[in-house]
């Protein structure tokens, strides 16, 4: 499986937001993340970087 | 490897922009895509959807 983990950049480093993310879709409140089990999380952030080989989605506050 | 292919949404459907994309980073001219071989492409577009299990990055014109 080629899902990735989503992290939010904070002043302390990277905070894990959601594991095993399959889908990321822009949402009026930021981004909608959906994991491979269908669990969803909306976060007020934008994409800072994708590093897919490292399975990482790095987010930052808008 | 967990890279994905990047497609641009057009009126005709999905146009393949770059295969085997590893990294995606916002750029002043849109998005910087980098494949697993280090080849880079800058495209004036934004992310419409990530579908990682399907290895797809869907872009649309800003």
């Amino acid at each position: 499986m080629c899902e990735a983990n989503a992290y939010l950049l904070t002043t302390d480093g990277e905070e894990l937001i959601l594991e095993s993310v399959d889908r990321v879709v822009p949402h009026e409140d930021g981004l909608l993340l959906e994991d491979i089990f269908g669990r969803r999380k909306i976060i007020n952030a934008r994409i800072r970087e994708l590093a897919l080989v490292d399975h990482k989605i790095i987010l930052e506050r808008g």
Side-chain angles (χ1 to χ4, degrees), chain A residues 16-32:
Chain A
L16 180 62
I17 298 294
L18 189 63
E19 292 182 290
S20 302
V21 174
D22 173 21
R23 294 178 66 242
V24 179
V25 184
H27 183 277
E28 59 182 10
D29 295 322
L31 294 171
L32 168 65

Side-chain angles (χ1 to χ4, degrees), chain A residues 10-52:
Chain A
T10 71
T11 52
D12 296 330
E14 298 174 353
E15 175 192 351
L16 180 62
I17 298 294
L18 189 63
E19 292 182 290
S20 302
V21 174
D22 173 21
R23 294 178 66 242
V24 179
V25 184
H27 183 277
E28 59 182 10
D29 295 322
L31 294 171
L32 168 65
L33 311 177
E34 185 177 306
D35 73 11
I36 58 173
F37 308 107
R39 287 182 294 227
R40 294 179 165 195
K41 190 173 278 192
I42 291 167
I43 180 167
N44 181 12
R46 60 188 176 195
I47 293 171
R48 166 73 170 269
E49 180 178 353
L50 303 178
L52 298 179

